Amino acid sequence: MTEQEAIHVADVSEGIGGDATAEPGSPVELPVVDVLTGRSFITGKSGSGKSNTASVVIENLLDNGFPVMIVDTDGEYYGLKEEYEILHAGADDECDIVVSPEHAEKLANLALEQNVPIILDVSGYLEESVANELLLAVVKQLFAKEKRLKKPFLLVVEECHEYIPEGGGMDETGKMLIKVGKRGRKHGLGIVGISQRPADVKKDFITQCDWLCWHRLTWDNDTKVVGRILGSKYASAVEDLGDGEAFLMTDWDESIRRIQFHRKQTFDAGATPGLDDFERPELKSVSSDLVGELQSISDEEARRESELADLRQEIDKKNQRITQLEHELEDARDLSNMADQFAQALLGKAEAPYRGGDGRSVASAARRDQVDLASYDEAVAATDGDGSDPGDGATDGNAGDDADLAGDSAVDSTGDSAVDSTADTTTDPATNTTNTTTREVEVDDGSEIDVATSDTAPAAPPDDDVDPVTRADVAESALRFDDAVELGTREAVIEELRDRIGALPELSRGMLRHYRREGVSDPVAAHIDAGGDGDSGHAYSRHRPIRRAGLIRHAGRGHYAYAVPDLIREAYADRLDEATVREVVRAVETAFVPPAERSYPPDAEPAEVGIETDPAVAGTSDADEGDAGDSDGNASETAEIDSRSTGGLSDAARRLAKRGGTTDE
């Protein structure tokens, strides 16, 4: 077919704008090459015939063996399959094949290299972004391949105002269509834009078109566009055009004609449904081989998506495991730091001067005595053997250290009891022997322990009845003294835990009460029980201070357990019996457990906790239980802890609080 060949699409019509050189009814033909490679615009209000005009042009091109691609935004062009073997690709089950952006290159190959007409139906995509991505990919492939093939090919775009709007907001798809309109002609790629609102279409596209069809328009904004491009007389005349009638403006003959387009020959799938039912004609289908090529792309894409889904699932599992391990590691670090801080606090309070010590730790005292003993051994070695004392300073100094180690100083642990010690040190002039008697130390529970007993004979070899003082003796005495002092740190342990609880926000303390009552629970349940909401972010933010304080511990699977009793046991290296542990726990729990709950076990029913209880009676109950569980008769200490459970503090506790810069009344 030569460039002079044309397609007969309409006839001349009467009225304003009619061609004076042609009689009404004369044929109107369009040159095929100009249609295929040019830029054109077809517009008109709904029902005026613009889609019919596009279908008539397409049918004539298909009859002459020229393939086209139609971007169908409303699913109204599949009626062409009544007469033509055309590929219907889109997202609906009615389509021959469901396509995605991955099919773009294959669709372009079918259209340009195998002359397959294609309806690219984007009306079935639920996401507009997916439809735009598909159209963009296909147009890019067409433009790139046409630069090499130079083959006349027409791209028809329905509702083009959605892609190339006048008011801005044009995306990459619109920019690509503008690029085809400006540069596609020299590569053989033409474009037809169709819209019912010319005022909404970018004017740079309309003014560059080679031929334009103006069907009936009635809105003022749209008729003004007609007036600017065709002239004022056409602006009013365009409102009176009949169905299928239009003003045709072409560059090749520089004329404006009023014409009546032919009626399309194929099934009108875009016609407005009426009251009468219509029968859908039998539509032609494309070859199975053609669809099979596209289906293989779909199958490959489905397989890839399945593999990606499996990989994403594996990654999610690994990320969840990593998160779990990070939480466990954080919990372990928190527990380790808490244990270190707790041990340092206990050690600092055990050697504090207010307990009657000299401000040095037991370990440092043991090292000091070992040094003194080494000096004393040197003095013995220097003795001239006549029984004389090589130096009173050495002996007296060692005896003084022994007296200091044994407990000459008073240790006040609770404010009511003290460490009573007596030391009788005598020196026999005949033997130059220093004797240190046994010191009895009274501790909190009323029992007495031996702190140090030694007989030292430095000037002469030891008799068979008297053992010399060795470094092991000093170390053993230091350990025994450490045990005695440790019993006096109970108040420090209670104060340490109460301070931690007191520093918690009010809602966090409520969550701690939930863990005390439930034993094991999760942060969201604790947050709701404490008066918070069910938001996990809020729950974990208020849960974090309790966990970092060591008051709860991770129990696995996102659950945590109440840890105050375990902290008490670990503080004393599991040397306290359970009755004493319970007493100390109750004293600590006065910081956050209401009086009505203290006389009930943590797992008591809410109805039982709701019973009104006299705080005095509750305190008595605690004291009685504590006395019953204390096999050592520790009456004074039980009374002290019971006073704490009713909100009071001992004198020693007040002094400790004041030294820390706070007062806990």
Side-chain angles (χ1 to χ4, degrees), residues 170-431:
M170 188 164 54
D171 58 13
E172 292 299 320
T173 304
K175 294 177 181 177
M176 191 65 212
L177 292 175
I178 291 294
K179 184 177 181 180
V180 171
K182 290 181 177 180
R183 299 169 53 190
R185 183 183 182 89
K186 59 184 176 183
H187 301 310
L189 182 59
I191 184 171
V192 175
I194 305 173
S195 174
Q196 58 183 328
R197 295 299 307 275
D200 295 340
V201 180
K202 194 171 185 63
K203 298 307 177 290
D204 288 347
F205 176 80
I206 296 177
T207 56
Q208 294 297 318
C209 288
D210 305 310
W211 58 282
L212 303 95
C213 288
W214 303 87
H215 287 277
R216 183 172 63 252
L217 296 168
T218 56
W219 288 95
D220 289 342
N221 289 342
D222 297 331
T223 57
K224 288 179 181 178
V225 176
V226 177
R228 289 202 305 269
I229 297 177
L230 300 183
S232 58
K233 70 176 181 177
Y234 296 100
S236 58
V238 76
E239 300 182 19
D240 299 326
L241 293 175
D243 293 346
E245 197 174 18
F247 290 122
L248 175 64
M249 177 180 180
T250 60
D251 284 355
W252 51 79
D253 57 9
E254 297 182 353
S255 65
I256 300 176
R257 289 173 286 178
R258 183 169 182 164
I259 63 175
Q260 178 71 46
F261 277 91
H262 296 162
R263 188 72 180 173
K264 63 185 295 186
Q265 301 300 313
T266 54
F267 169 60
D268 189 1
T272 302
L275 296 177
D276 298 332
D277 294 333
F278 65 92
E279 293 183 3
R280 178 174 175 174
E282 183 179 355
L283 304 178
K284 292 184 178 180
S285 60
V286 296
S287 67
S288 58
D289 293 340
L290 185 63
V291 176
E293 295 180 22
L294 293 169
Q295 187 62 46
S296 64
I297 298 176
S298 299
D299 294 341
E300 178 65 21
E301 180 63 19
R303 184 188 64 80
R304 188 182 301 112
E305 287 294 332
S306 178
E307 292 178 353
L308 289 175
D310 293 340
L311 291 175
R312 292 190 190 100
Q313 187 175 5
E314 290 297 324
I315 292 174
D316 290 340
K317 290 181 179 179
K318 293 184 181 298
N319 288 336
Q320 292 174 2
R321 180 58 178 162
I322 290 172
T323 302
Q324 180 183 357
L325 292 175
E326 288 176 345
H327 287 326
E328 293 177 358
L329 179 60
E330 183 180 359
D331 291 340
R333 287 172 176 168
D334 290 345
L335 290 176
S336 177
N337 294 335
M338 181 274 298
D340 291 342
Q341 295 172 3
F342 201 67
Q344 293 172 6
L346 288 177
L347 183 59
K349 296 181 187 300
E351 63 190 34
Y354 73 84
R355 295 189 174 277
D358 58 0
R360 292 174 291 179
S361 66
V362 174
S364 63
R367 289 196 300 270
R368 178 198 65 199
D369 289 331
Q370 290 175 0
V371 173
D372 290 341
L373 285 174
S375 301
Y376 188 68
D377 289 342
E378 293 177 1
V380 172
T383 304
D384 55 4
D386 58 1
S388 61
D389 189 351
D392 293 338
T395 303
D396 294 340
N398 191 32
D401 287 340
D402 285 341
D404 182 33
L405 175 63
D408 281 343
S409 58
V411 179
D412 183 0
S413 63
T414 65
D416 296 328
S417 61
V419 178
D420 296 332
S421 63
T422 58
D424 295 329
T425 303
T426 60
T427 302
D428 188 348
T431 62

Side-chain angles (χ1 to χ4, degrees), residues 391-524:
D392 293 338
T395 303
D396 294 340
N398 191 32
D401 287 340
D402 285 341
D404 182 33
L405 175 63
D408 281 343
S409 58
V411 179
D412 183 0
S413 63
T414 65
D416 296 328
S417 61
V419 178
D420 296 332
S421 63
T422 58
D424 295 329
T425 303
T426 60
T427 302
D428 188 348
T431 62
N432 196 24
T433 301
T434 301
N435 297 320
T436 302
T437 62
T438 302
R439 279 74 181 279
E440 294 180 346
V441 181
E442 181 180 352
V443 294
D444 292 346
D445 58 1
S447 61
E448 295 179 350
I449 62 172
D450 294 338
V451 176
T453 303
S454 63
D455 293 329
T456 307
D463 296 333
D464 294 337
D465 297 334
V466 181
D467 293 331
V469 175
T470 64
R471 293 174 176 80
D473 294 331
V474 175
E476 181 181 0
S477 298
L479 291 174
R480 293 168 65 188
F481 180 74
D482 185 37
D483 291 338
V485 172
E486 190 174 72
L487 292 175
T489 64
R490 188 172 304 172
E491 188 71 25
V493 173
I494 295 171
E495 287 295 326
E496 172 71 16
L497 293 178
R498 282 172 58 88
D499 289 344
R500 292 188 189 183
I501 296 171
L504 296 174
E506 181 177 356
L507 197 56
S508 298
R509 288 198 296 272
M511 295 174 72
L512 182 59
R513 286 197 297 274
H514 172 85
Y515 282 111
R516 174 186 178 272
R517 182 168 57 255
E518 299 296 329
V520 177
S521 186
D522 63 277
V524 176

